[in-house]
Amino acid sequence: MGRYVLGFQEIDQTQVAVVGGKGAHLGELSRIEGIRVPAGFCVTTSAFQRIMAEAPSIDDRLDRLARLKPDDREAIRTLSAEIRRTLEEIAIPDDLAAAIIRSLARLGEQDAYAVRSSATAEDLPTASFAGQQDTYLNVVGPAAILQHVSRCWASLFSERAVTYRLRNGVDQRKVQMAVVVQRMVDPQAAGILFTADPVTGNRKVASVEASFGLGEALVSGLVNADVYKVRGGEVIAKAVATKKLAIYAAPTGGTQEQAIEPERQVQPALTDAQVVRLAQLGRRVEAHFGRPQDIEWCLVDDDFQIVQSRPITTLFPIPAADDQENHVYVSVGHGQMMTDAMKPLGLSLWQLTAARPMYEAGGRLFVDVTQGLASPASRAGLLDVLGRGDPLIRDALQTILDRGDFIPSLPDEGPRVAPAGGAPPAPIESDPAIVTELIEWSQASIAALKRDIQAKSGSALLDFILGGIKELRRILFDPQSHQVIMAGFEATWWLNDHLQTWLGERNAADTLTQSVPHNVTSEMGLALLDVADVIRPHPDVVTFLQHVEDQGLLDEGFLNELPRLAGRQEAQDAIRAWLSNYGMRCVGEIDITKPRWSERPTILVPMILSNIKNFEPGTAKRHFERGRQEASKKEQELLERLRVLPDGERKVVEVKRMIDRVRTFIGYREYPKYGMVSRYFVYKQALLEEAERLVRANVLREQEDIFYLSFQELHDVVRSNQVDVQLISQRKDAFRSYQALTPPRVLTSDGETVAGSYRREDLPAGALVGLPVSAGAVEGRARVILAMAEADLEPGDILVTAYTDPSWTPLFVAIKGLVTEVGGLMTHGAVIAREYGVPAVVGVEHATRLIRDGQRIRVHGTDGYVEILP
């Protein structure tokens, strides 16, 4: 058993397990030259462990807590209250009480103290857990302090703390509680200093919030704070609030509210000079800890005292750069419709596959566009291309350019990126054989890969995969393949631009691209309808599938578990045939570490059952044919309207050529990614076999540990049969923290996340603006779905989600509208929505929060906005 009490001077930041996050930071703060910290000591986790041992009945309650879900509120409330009551009733042993009182005597027994909880899962770099446990201010006298130490121990099991840990996957038993006892100060003003702007993330801007009296008034939300922004040693923005109340220490202990006299309410709590001085102290603290800090401060007789500092855990990390220059980064995930955090193996494989350098931050990838923005030769084209993909990215970049002080203007040099949509695209013959040959080339390459990889293992396997990625890059960036994709894109843009000019027809290409050939992603959704057709006539198989989850069948084995029912063989054959074509796909498929449908085929069962319930036999064929006919009808209508215009025959010839080009080539846009994902799955299966060998050799603890290594690191492990277990553990912790972050579309090297806007004033009141990507207007029930596996859609529903990648396509056959938070004109969800004839608006900021599940909404897919209906 360790010591029960440690003074701040005996503590540093390595002792979180002994004194908790708050205690460790206070001890470390006390060591920084020029930083004043009110004196105090910590009652260590050893004392808490001893108290817990006095109450064996808590063990059973902790077991029951561990089995609860975060939403089991009543059970959490009951169990946590029982644990708190038990802890508060345990008498502190005499020797422990004496150790606390001796430390008090050294500081002054009758002084006033703050008694503050300090959990071991608190104020950590990956999660702050702030406000989950209790703090008591102005506690006077040894008896009162001992009582409040017990209350702090008990507050580890407050309802909010228990629920927070359940939501974050933190073991209730592994968290320990220390208690900070710190001399109270009587401040004129107090508040919070963020050494990075908590709103924009800018690391060069400090933000100060200040109010009169104790900081408790600000933290508890009783008053609005004065807010100051500081950059480069000067206040660059200031907002002085009306402060009607303050909290001060009460003469008899505790705190009390006091009204502030009217003439003082609008006075600033700090002078500008004091704010600048405070920001300088914050920079000293930040430099010591090596990352931006959230600092609690008090002003006593024109002297700042620091009473807490913790990492700011909500800031998005900045890509590492080896220079001190300004950089602007654009999110790769927003273009790929996959904004989730990726594991290191997934990041490194994608970087090896990519055409240009990518930079990692927060488990996401970014492209540095600084050079392109700085050069007048490339700027307009870059903004045009990015804007067509996502107008919010373009607007954010334009915002940075308009400031005029972040990106230097370089000499006019380098390749010029031509804006799209102007003159007719460069000629390419609308020959379906071109697409067919490209697909056959890719398929032959995948077949050769599957054949050749079987004989590889060890370092030879990693070398083989590295060579395979070079082959993949040749296919992905093949000039003819790129020409076909761009021909489809540019013809689409050309048609939309010219038909709006000539006929006033907005987004005409949306209808013209319905049911095009060679779209492997839209074919996937229709093929799952065909699977439903095979299973529908066999009610016993349908009943079995309805209870797959209840039976707890293993994902990869559930097809083999089908009992000998009428239709068993047909169902197995249909699902396996579908998986052979599409089983390499999954949600977030650009990350090789994500589980594929072939690995977890039970994910498909709800979609198959939904198709059986909601559609008639032969729906897939009818759906495709209906789209083809609508496109043909639209084509004839447009050509007839053009003929009567001045120079109509020429316009008809040009438009007909563009329509043929679109329908020949636009479907192929989905194929290169399909081919890439197919190869990724082959690599993954081989790498997992190699990982299993490493597990058998006791090099790795489990197969999926390889996901937390980069490709090169994995190569080194395979070669040496040695692994840094601690590194894998750190990577797992980092990944969990990254999952909680929302990646920005645009990020600067200052850490600023720059948000764009649509800048539209032509919308109804309350409308949610976005990017129109598939024409039409529909009303229906909004189904807000954050995970595809949780989808419970009925025909006529409107899907509202964060993003859709190709894996969501099987759901598109049921919906009649689509709203996403992320997306662009040529991202997968937009392409499939157009092909299926589903009106869609993408890039609607915070759509999943602003629209409630079950609300009726109207989607304006032509005009780019969503209305929430009464």
Side-chain angles (χ1 to χ4, degrees):
M1 188 64 74
R3 290 172 59 188
Y4 292 136
V5 179
L6 292 173
F8 286 173
Q9 68 280 2
E10 302 175 272
I11 298 168
D12 62 33
Q13 62 184 328
T14 67
Q15 293 170 275
V16 172
V18 178
V19 295
K22 189 179 279 109
H25 279 90
L26 282 167
E28 191 69 30
L29 280 167
S30 301
R31 297 164 175 263
I32 306 175
E33 185 178 350
I35 301 298
R36 292 197 59 191
V37 178
F41 59 88
C42 288
V43 183
T44 67
T45 54
S46 294
F48 174 74
Q49 290 161 6
R50 181 168 172 188
I51 294 299
M52 289 286 284
E54 298 278 332
S57 64
I58 288 178
D59 264 359
D60 173 61
R61 293 186 177 111
L62 288 177
D63 287 339
R64 287 153 59 196
L65 268 185
R67 292 193 290 270
L68 295 178
K69 295 180 179 177
D71 296 328
D72 297 333
R73 295 180 182 175
E74 191 55 44
I76 292 171
R77 184 177 298 119
T78 301
L79 274 173
S80 60
E82 290 173 3
I83 295 173
R84 290 197 306 277
R85 192 161 50 247
T86 301
L87 284 172
E88 287 186 26
E89 289 172 355
I90 296 172
I92 298 179
D94 291 345
D95 59 330
L96 174 50
I100 295 171
I101 291 170
R102 279 196 302 274
S103 293
L104 272 177
R106 284 194 286 270
L107 293 177
E109 268 191 23
Q110 296 308 313
D111 289 347
Y113 292 87
V115 183
R116 313 170 70 187
S117 303
S118 180
T120 53
E122 184 176 39
D123 297 348
L124 304 179
T126 55
S128 75
F129 288 78
Q132 301 306 311
Q133 288 81 222
D134 291 343
T135 285
Y136 302 94
L137 300 178
N138 200 34
V139 182
V140 181
I145 284 172
L146 291 174
Q147 180 187 34
H148 285 85
V149 167
S150 288
R151 289 181 179 175
C152 283
W153 286 330
S155 76
L156 184 64
F157 298 100
S158 69
E159 183 183 341
R160 65 182 181 273
V162 168
T163 303
Y164 191 91
R165 289 194 291 272
L166 285 171
R167 290 194 188 282
N168 285 275
V170 177
D171 189 333
Q172 306 286 345
R173 291 178 181 277
K174 288 187 177 177
V175 183
Q176 304 289 317
M177 178 65 84
V179 180
V180 170
V181 180
Q182 187 174 20
R183 181 178 281 137
M184 280 287 295
V185 293
D186 185 19
Q188 293 90 47
I192 300 168
L193 160 65
F194 299 96
T195 63
D197 190 316
V199 177
T200 68
N202 194 319
R203 308 307 201 265
K204 292 184 177 178
V205 174
S207 178
V208 175
E209 297 182 6
S211 64
F212 295 124
L214 293 166
E216 188 67 15
L218 192 157
V219 173
S220 61
L222 280 177
V223 298
N224 292 325
D226 297 344
V227 179
Y228 307 81
K229 304 289 184 182
V230 183
R231 178 169 184 150
E234 63 177 294
V235 176
I236 59 172
K238 174 168 63 175
V240 178
T242 300
K243 301 170 285 295
K244 296 183 178 181
L245 290 173
I247 292 180
Y248 294 98
T252 56
T255 60
Q256 62 186 17
E257 293 179 18
Q258 288 184 18
I260 298 175
E261 50 273 25
E263 65 275 9
R264 190 162 168 254
Q265 290 177 6
V266 293
Q267 291 180 5
L270 298 175
T271 66
D272 284 9
Q274 287 171 330
V275 170
V276 170
R277 182 151 48 93
L278 176 60
Q280 290 168 344
L281 290 174
R283 292 293 177 214
R284 192 175 299 174
V285 173
E286 178 185 68
H288 183 85
F289 286 110
R291 59 182 299 158
Q293 296 288 300
D294 165 358
I295 298 168
E296 296 175 25
W297 56 268
C298 294
L299 178 67
V300 183
D301 298 327
D302 197 37
D303 190 18
F304 286 105
Q305 300 205 30
I306 306 300
V307 295
Q308 181 54 295
S309 183
R310 63 176 68 88
I312 306 176
T313 60
T314 56
L315 296 175
F316 200 86
I318 306 171
D322 55 6
D323 58 31
Q324 300 300 312
E325 302 297 322
N326 290 344
H327 295 271
V328 178
Y329 303 98
V330 169
S331 165
V332 172
H334 283 79
Q336 289 296 325
M337 301 296 283
M338 211 297 275
T339 56
D340 295 348
M342 295 170 68
K343 297 186 179 81
L345 186 62
L347 290 167
S348 62
L349 257 293
W350 188 248
Q351 286 172 299
L352 287 170
T353 306
R356 58 186 299 178
M358 292 185 177
Y359 302 86
E360 187 272 328
R364 279 81 169 185
L365 291 171
F366 295 84
V367 173
D368 188 343
V369 296
T370 316
Q371 198 78 7
L373 292 174
S375 169
S378 58
R379 183 184 303 140
L382 176 64
L383 289 173
D384 185 71
V385 170
L386 291 174
R388 286 182 178 271
D390 187 333
L392 293 177
I393 290 178
R394 176 187 178 130
D395 191 72
L397 295 175
Q398 189 63 56
T399 297
I400 296 171
L401 287 167
D402 289 346
R403 293 175 185 170
D405 61 353
F406 192 80
I407 298 176
S409 186
L410 297 178
D412 194 348
E413 59 185 23
R416 184 178 298 273
V417 181
I428 177 173
E429 186 180 356
S430 297
D431 181 1
I434 298 174
V435 175
T436 302
E437 289 171 6
L438 287 170
I439 291 173
E440 289 174 350
W441 176 37
S442 176
Q443 288 175 335
S445 176
I446 293 167
L449 170 67
K450 290 178 178 178
R451 180 190 66 238
D452 296 342
I453 203 170
Q454 293 177 12
K456 309 296 181 183
S457 64
S459 290
L461 170 65
L462 277 292
D463 291 335
F464 177 80
I465 290 174
L466 205 53
I469 292 171
K470 292 178 181 176
E471 168 70 6
L472 170 59
R473 285 168 55 87
R474 278 196 292 273
I475 294 171
L476 285 177
F477 307 117
D478 171 70
Q480 188 176 41
S481 177
H482 179 72
Q483 187 182 21
V484 165
I485 292 170
M486 289 311 299
F489 282 0
E490 290 169 345
T492 300
W493 299 333
W494 189 93
L495 283 167
N496 281 339
D497 290 347
H498 285 74
L499 290 174
Q500 182 166 357
T501 300
W502 291 339
L503 298 175
E505 184 87 21
R506 299 189 63 183
N507 301 329
D510 292 1
T511 304
L512 296 169
T513 52
Q514 289 187 39
S515 298
V516 295
H518 300 302
N519 189 320
V520 69
T521 303
S522 61
E523 289 167 2
M524 174 177 67
L526 298 178
L528 203 61
L529 285 170
D530 292 335
V531 172
D533 286 353
V534 172
I535 296 172
R536 188 181 289 106
H538 306 291
D540 290 343
V541 176
V542 173
T543 300
F544 174 82
L545 292 177
Q546 287 169 339
H547 297 93
V548 161
E549 189 173 333
D550 298 339
Q551 297 168 47
L553 298 176
L554 291 173
D555 266 313
E556 56 271 22
F558 99 93
L559 284 172
N560 298 325
E561 299 291 334
L562 269 169
R564 297 198 173 278
L565 304 168
R568 174 196 186 208
Q569 192 62 52
E570 291 90 336
Q572 284 180 329
D573 291 347
I575 295 174
R576 283 178 175 145
W578 192 92
L579 288 172
S580 72
N581 287 323
Y582 309 109
M584 76 294 290
R585 311 208 84 157
C586 67
V587 175
E589 61 192 10
I590 66 170
D591 181 353
I592 195 175
T593 72
K594 294 270 192 178
R596 309 284 137 173
W597 284 334
S598 285
E599 296 170 308
R600 293 189 183 171
T602 50
I603 293 173
L604 301 172
V605 171
M607 289 185 280
I608 294 171
L609 291 171
S610 176
N611 288 346
I612 290 170
K613 173 186 172 185
N614 294 320
F615 297 101
E616 296 295 323
T619 295
K621 186 175 181 180
R622 288 195 300 274
H623 188 287
F624 186 85
E625 182 58 24
R626 182 172 64 249
R628 193 189 65 78
Q629 289 180 4
E630 287 181 7
S632 177
K633 181 181 175 183
K634 186 69 176 178
E635 176 182 336
Q636 295 308 312
E637 175 216 320
L638 291 169
L639 296 180
E640 287 172 11
R641 290 167 61 193
L642 286 167
R643 281 194 177 92
V644 302
L645 297 179
D647 200 19
E649 287 303 322
R650 178 187 63 79
K651 291 171 180 172
V652 165
V653 171
E654 285 187 4
V655 168
K656 174 61 176 168
R657 188 170 74 248
M658 292 301 112
I659 291 174
D660 289 346
R661 193 173 298 176
V662 164
R663 292 197 60 80
T664 301
F665 296 134
I666 200 67
Y668 176 75
R669 175 261 185 277
E670 293 290 301
Y671 200 86
K673 187 175 185 182
Y674 171 80
M676 180 197 75
V677 172
S678 298
R679 297 179 72 94
Y680 271 16
F681 188 42
V682 177
Y683 301 153
K684 181 181 183 182
Q685 289 173 303
L687 290 172
L688 284 175
E689 285 184 20
E690 190 62 27
E692 182 57 33
R693 181 191 69 77
L694 293 169
V695 170
R696 289 196 303 270
N698 295 318
V699 177
L700 296 177
R701 292 176 180 172
E702 55 188 14
Q703 265 187 314
E704 293 191 356
D705 281 352
I706 65 168
F707 295 164
Y708 297 93
L709 299 169
S710 71
F711 187 82
Q712 184 56 54
E713 289 167 344
L714 177 57
H715 204 318
D716 294 340
V717 169
V718 169
R719 189 183 299 114
S720 66
N721 270 349
Q722 293 181 326
V723 70
D724 184 342
V725 176
Q726 188 175 0
L727 175 66
I728 290 176
S729 178
Q730 291 169 350
R731 295 268 177 84
K732 289 180 178 179
D733 288 341
F735 177 72
R736 279 191 289 270
S737 72
Y738 295 155
Q739 285 177 300
L741 298 175
T742 300
R745 285 175 165 84
V746 174
L747 177 69
T748 75
S749 49
D750 285 351
E752 182 183 6
T753 60
V754 186
S757 67
Y758 291 102
R759 304 177 190 267
R760 290 180 58 180
E761 299 176 358
D762 59 334
L763 302 178
L768 307 179
V769 65
L771 176 67
V773 296
S774 185
V778 291
E779 290 183 19
R781 178 180 67 160
R783 296 309 315 272
V784 181
I785 296 170
L786 300 181
M788 196 189 79
E790 299 168 1
D792 181 18
L793 294 163
E794 295 179 2
D797 283 345
I798 295 173
L799 174 61
V800 180
T801 190
Y803 65 83
T804 62
D805 64 5
S807 68
W808 289 71
T809 302
L811 301 179
F812 281 33
V813 296
I815 61 175
K816 70 174 183 180
L818 173 69
V819 180
T820 68
E821 295 178 338
V822 175
L825 195 62
M826 288 300 169
T827 47
H828 300 274
V831 170
I832 304 306
R834 288 194 292 273
E835 182 158 340
Y836 279 7
V838 174
V841 179
V842 303
V844 180
E845 291 276 73
H846 312 302
T848 58
R849 281 184 274 167
L850 297 173
I851 300 171
R852 294 197 308 273
D853 187 55
Q855 279 185 317
R856 287 195 66 78
I857 63 174
R858 183 181 295 124
V859 177
H860 296 264
T862 304
D863 297 314
Y865 65 94
V866 180
E867 291 180 278
I868 300 175
L869 303 177

